[in-house]
């Protein structure tokens, strides 16, 4: 069933493009999703999304009912879920490395969403292939994630992540040993014009980003450090881009790691074998803190390092 929502531009709203204005009013939808909706003025004229809003403008937005056919047709239980918490509104999962988030053209089955759907339901507000998804981790990043089971939880969590009213901390093993204990990395991130699979730091035209980095351990003989990274924004590949741009790429990262150059400096045979053969960047979402979307309870989840990162740490400590 189609839902219609009306928005009236006030004199306190920032003058911006219509699609950007609507995405700020409906943070549960991306701007590209909104551009597929039927949006018109009250007199029936269709909206041109590139136009600027004006005080007093009234927009009627027709939102089609979400469909979850793609995900539901391919429900699967390919691996055991590591469930950290579950109630009627949310489910918190420790995502394994190597698992894709949700179905796409190249990944029809075996995704995290499909495995969760074999266990429980998820809010359909996320869309046809992304029910319940309010944030993402790369395929080869492991760690704690929350999914929405109810529509109310979905709307609240989307707002929480959009406003970054939460704590997200990651552990990364990186090339290099810094001469500092902590650092703030800021700047704009945009998609690379040379490689569309990659993001890059730019001076203008990107999205603001901010990561706080602190050194947890360092192994100078191996030229490797363990870092804790706290996100204050959530850009695509943010930690991997920030660390690589500042000379500390994540180990085993196929996009940003520059591993082939660094491997020649490794003298320990066991460590060299691990780094040559391991598939997936050494990055783990360790801590997630947020307010429960319906009860208001403060939630905190901390996950242990996955086995491959524990193996790497053991090798580093025994060089």
């Amino acid at each position: 069933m189609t839902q219609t929502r009306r928005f009236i531009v006030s004199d306190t709203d920032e003058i911006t493009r219509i699609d950007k204005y609507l995405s700020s009013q409906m943070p549960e939808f991306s701007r590209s999703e909104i551009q597929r909706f039927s949006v018109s003025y009250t007199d029936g004229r269709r909206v041109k999304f590139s136009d600027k809003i004006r005080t007093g403008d009234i927009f009627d937005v027709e939102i089609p009912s979400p469909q979850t056919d793609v995900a539901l047709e391919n429900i699967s239980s390919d691996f055991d879920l590591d469930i950290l918490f579950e109630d009627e509104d949310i489910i918190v999962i420790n995502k394994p490395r190597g698992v894709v988030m949700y179905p796409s053209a190249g990944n029809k089955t075996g995704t995290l969403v499909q495995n969760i759907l074999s266990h429980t339901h998820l809010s359909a507000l996320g869309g046809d292939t992304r029910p319940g998804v309010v944030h993402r981790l790369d395929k080869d990043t492991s760690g704690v994630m929350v999914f929405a089971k109810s529509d109310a939880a979905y709307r609240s969590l989307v707002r929480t992540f959009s406003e970054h009213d939460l704590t997200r901390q990651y552990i990364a093993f990186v090339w290099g040993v810094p001469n500092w204990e902590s650092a703030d990395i800021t700047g704009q991130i945009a998609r690379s014009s040379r490689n569309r699979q990659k993001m890059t730091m730019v001076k203008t035209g990107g999205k603001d980003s901010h990561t706080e980095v602190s050194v947890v351990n360092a192994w100078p003989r191996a030229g490797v450090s363990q870092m804790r990274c706290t996100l204050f924004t959530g850009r695509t590949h943010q930690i991997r881009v920030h660390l690589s741009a500042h000379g500390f790429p994540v180990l085993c990262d196929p996009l940003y790691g520059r591993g082939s150059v660094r491997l020649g400096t490794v003298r320990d045979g066991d460590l060299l074998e691990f780094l040559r053969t391991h598939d997936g960047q050494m990055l783990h979402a360790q801590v997630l803190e947020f307010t429960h979307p319906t009860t208001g309870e403060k939630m905190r989840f901390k996950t242990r390092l996955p086995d491959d990162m524990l193996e790497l740490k053991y090798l580093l400590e025994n060089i």
Side-chain angles (χ1 to χ4, degrees):
M1 183 177 180
T2 300
Q3 174 190 6
T4 301
R5 295 169 65 177
R6 173 167 289 184
F7 299 95
I8 303 175
V9 179
S10 72
D11 57 6
T12 60
D13 288 315
E14 177 189 359
I15 302 302
T16 186
R17 285 171 51 115
I18 292 174
D19 55 354
K20 188 174 181 180
Y21 164 77
L22 291 173
S23 66
S24 70
Q25 301 298 309
M26 299 184 290
E28 66 268 30
F29 300 108
S30 67
R31 200 185 308 183
S32 61
E33 288 176 310
I34 290 171
Q35 289 175 343
R36 292 195 294 269
F37 295 164
S38 177
V39 183
S40 60
Y41 297 101
T42 52
D43 62 5
R45 289 180 297 124
R46 292 297 299 270
V47 160
K48 187 176 180 180
F49 289 110
S50 60
D51 287 347
K52 297 292 183 67
I53 62 171
R54 297 174 299 177
T55 300
D57 280 345
I58 302 176
F59 306 113
D60 287 330
V61 181
E62 292 186 7
I63 305 172
S65 298
Q67 302 294 323
T68 57
D69 294 344
V70 174
L72 293 174
E73 286 178 358
N74 296 293
I75 290 175
S76 57
S77 182
D78 302 284
F79 53 87
D80 293 332
L81 293 172
D82 185 0
I83 300 173
L84 306 177
F85 176 85
E86 184 178 9
D87 63 11
E88 294 179 353
D89 295 294
I90 64 174
I91 182 170
V92 182
I93 301 290
N94 185 17
K95 173 189 172 297
R97 194 182 320 284
V99 173
V100 175
M101 284 285 303
Y102 41 74
S104 62
N107 299 279
K108 297 293 187 181
T109 61
T111 69
L112 185 57
V113 160
Q114 290 164 318
N115 275 262
I116 294 174
L117 286 171
S118 72
H119 166 76
T120 187
H121 66 277
L122 292 170
S123 168
L125 292 182
D128 54 358
T129 61
R130 295 175 288 178
V133 176
V134 295
H135 66 127
R136 299 166 180 78
L137 289 180
D138 298 331
K139 172 186 174 182
D140 289 323
T141 299
S142 57
V144 59
M145 300 196 68
V146 59
F147 293 82
K149 294 176 61 176
S150 68
D151 292 351
Y154 180 87
R155 295 188 180 95
S156 178
L157 286 171
V158 166
R159 185 165 53 252
T160 293
F161 279 87
S162 175
E163 298 173 354
H164 208 84
D165 186 19
L166 75 168
T167 298
R168 285 187 285 176
Q169 291 184 340
Y170 291 65
I171 293 294
F173 286 85
V174 305
W175 291 108
V177 177
N179 58 3
W180 41 260
E181 293 183 358
S182 62
D184 275 317
I185 301 177
T186 60
Q188 294 189 23
I189 290 178
R191 191 163 297 280
S192 170
S193 59
R194 297 180 179 181
N195 182 346
R196 302 302 292 173
Q197 291 184 321
K198 297 180 68 173
M199 309 299 289
T200 188
M201 301 289 290
V202 294
K203 292 183 178 180
T204 60
K207 294 183 178 180
D208 290 336
S209 59
H210 179 192
T211 306
E212 183 181 87
V213 180
S214 59
V215 180
V216 179
N217 288 298
W219 297 274
R221 291 182 62 186
V224 170
S225 299
Q226 178 185 350
M227 292 184 174
R228 178 177 293 108
C229 304
T230 302
L231 289 181
F232 291 94
T233 54
R235 307 307 177 201
T236 301
H237 299 174
Q238 178 173 316
I239 292 174
R240 299 162 66 189
V241 172
H242 274 178
L243 292 176
S244 179
H246 286 76
F248 304 98
V250 178
L251 266 63
C252 305
D253 186 339
L255 272 182
Y256 307 98
R258 303 196 295 273
S260 59
V261 176
R262 303 273 186 160
L263 286 176
T265 66
V266 178
R267 297 292 177 259
D268 182 81
D270 291 336
L271 177 60
L272 182 60
E273 178 68 14
F274 179 96
L275 296 174
R276 277 179 170 170
T277 60
H278 191 272
D279 186 20
Q281 61 266 6
M282 293 287 93
L283 183 63
H284 175 71
Q286 186 181 47
V287 174
L288 180 63
E289 298 179 10
F290 60 94
T291 301
H292 191 286
T294 58
T295 68
E297 179 185 356
K298 298 295 184 182
M299 313 289 289
R300 185 179 193 274
F301 301 95
K302 183 177 181 179
T303 52
R304 68 189 291 271
L305 293 179
D307 290 343
D308 55 358
M309 292 179 77
L310 290 174
E311 179 184 356
L312 173 61
K313 188 174 182 181
Y314 175 83
L315 293 172
L316 291 166
E317 290 174 342
N318 287 275
I319 290 178

